Amino acid sequence: MNLTIERDRLLSEIEALALISEAEPPVVTRVVFTPSDLKARAWMKARCAEAGLTVREDAVGNTFARWTGSDLSVPVVGMGSHIDAIPNAGKYDGVVGVLGGLEAIRALQRGGFQPRHSIELLVFTAEEPTRFGIGCLGSRMLANTLSSDAGQKLTDKDGATLDEVRREAGFRGNLEQVKLPSGYYKAFVEMHIEQGPLLERQQISLGIVTRIAAPASLAVLIEGSGGHAGAVLMHDRIDALCAAAELILAIENAARNSGAIDTVATVGICDVFPGAINSIPLRVRLSVDVRDTDLARRDSAMRSIEAAARSIAEKRRVLIQSTLLNADAPADCAPAIIDTISQSCRKHELNFLPMVSRAYHDSLFMARIAPVAMLFIPCRNGYSHRPDEYASPEDIERGTLVLAETLAALSR
Ligand SMILES: [Zn+2]
């Protein structure tokens, strides 16, 4: 089979999708179930229909575009990613896996390939945690890692529940039916930009993910006592932000002292109340994100953060309350799919790098119900989640070619 990627068409589709945004180009902002997200979904479904795919959507808006195979009794070969984007994002995160996936199907169609297993392009709902505070909403529900009961109660910052928001967006089915039976997918493959600098640094055009790191996150509330910045003397203060400062450094140390470079911890949000120059901070909210490729080590870092919080609370007489938002296990990619991707790279004489995905993706949750693998393509300077995110046309083309070849091998 002669496989060719229509690179210009794929690139122009990436550009077209980027223009469906709540922000001025080149900034992409597409938060789940906002008008731009709904418009992007409609645009995407139209492209899938043009390719002759059968499109269905589940109750939370996960979209499945199927190229029906010749044998309906065998499980489906899945692939895909997401098209939602955090505020002030770029064009490629998630999108490369979705539009590259569509182009991979078209390349196989042009090559005259007939799949035995149906091939399904999946566009996940809300990979980004922007609106409901939890990442990979769609895939968590497909894998039943997030139950329909827990899912429908999630709320956005305006207090609207997921159930209300998704119904208003036109997804009115029963959330109970979102979860997929295990065995539904024979394999699931996600192509994604690396979001880190390793491939570019080593000048390798493809990464094959062997393991996806385990993420966990906490919301921390620190309550002290406020007061006038001039009138309250230092020894009378219970300053919530000073306690937060100690805790933030303890969190950094928990990761630094874990004994492995794979442990990372980040405080990305620090909200100070009341937030006035002449007012002692009364209350601080922190977000804590901890990840590791090793679950036991990640959990041990979490325990040292909790211990530090207890001792800081005691020493500084503040109240520290932490709520666990998620603590997911890492996932191993399936050796058989890794092998299939490697063979396709060799066939096209492409160098590849086996690597760990330190960011998590929908594949982390798909791994609970299907054998998964991920294909990374380089992105300039490792930049992602910013408007100057960039992947080269050549790398996108190579990744799409390998994806198409892999899908063909898996669906024969
Ligand atoms: Zn992504």
Side-chain angles (χ1 to χ4, degrees):
M1 179 179 37
N2 184 26
L3 279 178
T4 51
I5 301 304
E6 288 188 353
R7 183 168 95 183
D8 292 346
R9 177 183 184 180
L10 172 55
L11 294 175
S12 74
E13 286 175 338
I14 292 172
E15 294 301 320
L17 185 51
L19 293 176
I20 307 176
S21 165
E22 284 141 50
E24 287 295 307
V27 179
V28 180
T29 298
R30 216 162 31 227
V31 178
V32 69
F33 299 143
T34 57
S36 67
D37 177 57
L38 298 178
K39 200 171 158 201
R41 287 164 180 269
W43 181 89
M44 193 59 223
K45 284 186 283 181
R47 299 292 78 73
C48 291
E50 275 169 12
L53 308 181
T54 310
V55 177
R56 84 177 165 91
E57 294 164 306
D58 68 16
V60 77
N62 290 312
T63 304
F64 306 74
R66 178 182 287 213
W67 183 14
T68 304
S70 60
D71 187 347
L72 298 179
S73 69
V74 293
V76 177
V77 172
M79 56 135 173
S81 196
H82 62 99
I83 58 170
D84 66 322
I86 65 163
N88 205 43
K91 295 174 193 162
Y92 302 93
D93 176 3
V95 167
V96 158
V98 172
L99 286 174
L102 177 60
E103 176 55 22
I105 287 180
R106 291 187 303 225
L108 291 169
Q109 291 172 337
R110 287 191 298 270
F113 180 73
Q114 290 290 339
R116 182 164 86 88
H117 295 256
S118 296
I119 297 178
E120 217 166 60
L121 172 64
L122 228 169
V123 187
F124 295 101
T125 283
E127 192 270 345
E128 303 292 1
T130 315
R131 184 151 189 183
F132 293 102
I134 185 166
C136 298
L137 188 56
S139 53
R140 279 180 197 271
M141 293 190 80
L142 289 174
N144 206 27
T145 304
L146 177 70
S147 70
S148 54
D149 267 0
Q152 65 192 350
K153 291 183 199 130
L154 292 171
T155 52
D156 67 11
K157 68 174 185 339
D158 301 323
T161 63
L162 170 62
D163 208 39
E164 291 159 359
V165 175
R166 58 119 193 170
R167 282 172 191 279
E168 196 160 318
F171 302 102
R172 300 202 174 87
N174 186 348
L175 283 177
E176 261 291 300
Q177 284 158 8
V178 171
K179 63 173 183 279
L180 290 173
S182 79
Y184 179 93
Y185 284 118
K186 175 194 177 194
F188 185 85
V189 185
E190 181 171 7
M191 176 163 75
H192 205 281
I193 55 169
E194 183 197 347
Q195 303 181 292
L198 301 182
L199 289 171
E200 186 185 57
R201 261 183 216 161
Q202 299 185 48
Q203 297 186 303
I204 295 178
S205 51
L206 287 165
I208 302 181
V209 174
T210 54
R211 191 170 173 78
I212 307 172
S217 57
L218 299 167
V220 177
L221 172 70
I222 303 174
E223 290 232 19
S225 164
H228 194 283
V232 182
L233 295 178
M234 295 313 282
H235 67 265
D236 287 330
R237 293 187 184 202
I238 304 178
D239 184 321
L241 184 57
C242 291
E246 281 198 37
L247 183 58
I248 291 169
L249 293 177
I251 291 166
E252 184 189 34
N253 281 330
R256 278 180 182 271
N257 300 336
S258 83
I261 56 157
D262 286 333
T263 323
V264 289
T266 309
V267 175
I269 299 175
C270 176
D271 276 341
V272 182
F273 181 84
I277 189 171
N278 57 355
S279 176
I280 299 164
L282 163 66
R283 189 183 315 129
V284 173
R285 287 179 196 278
L286 301 177
S287 69
V288 185
D289 177 303
V290 185
R291 306 181 193 210
D292 204 313
T293 49
D294 182 88
L295 186 61
R297 207 167 46 212
R298 199 264 331 262
D299 288 343
S300 141
M302 301 279 285
R303 282 192 299 275
S304 54
I305 291 169
E306 297 284 354
R310 280 192 300 274
S311 90
I312 293 164
E314 200 181 304
K315 187 177 80 179
R316 287 189 166 268
R317 294 175 294 144
V318 291
L319 177 88
I320 303 185
Q321 195 181 70
S322 73
T323 311
L324 185 67
L325 300 178
N326 68 294
D328 303 296
D332 283 317
C333 292
I337 314 178
I338 292 176
D339 208 48
T340 306
I341 300 175
S342 317
Q343 281 171 27
S344 139
C345 289
R346 283 190 204 101
K347 181 172 165 185
H348 294 283
E349 296 179 338
L350 295 170
N351 263 343
F352 61 88
L353 183 71
M355 60 196 305
V356 168
S357 173
R358 291 169 196 287
Y360 67 90
H361 300 281
D362 291 301
S363 291
L364 179 66
F365 301 97
M366 294 308 283
R368 316 277 188 246
I369 52 165
V372 303
M374 289 192 77
L375 189 58
F376 274 177
I377 62 170
C379 55
R380 189 169 61 199
N381 299 326
Y383 291 168
S384 183
H385 284 189
R386 43 190 281 179
D388 54 356
E389 182 181 83
Y390 176 81
S392 80
E394 296 75 22
D395 287 331
I396 293 172
E397 180 179 4
R398 279 189 280 262
T400 304
L401 181 66
V402 169
L403 178 62
E405 193 80 51
T406 302
L407 293 173
L410 291 170
S411 63
R412 262 186 197 109

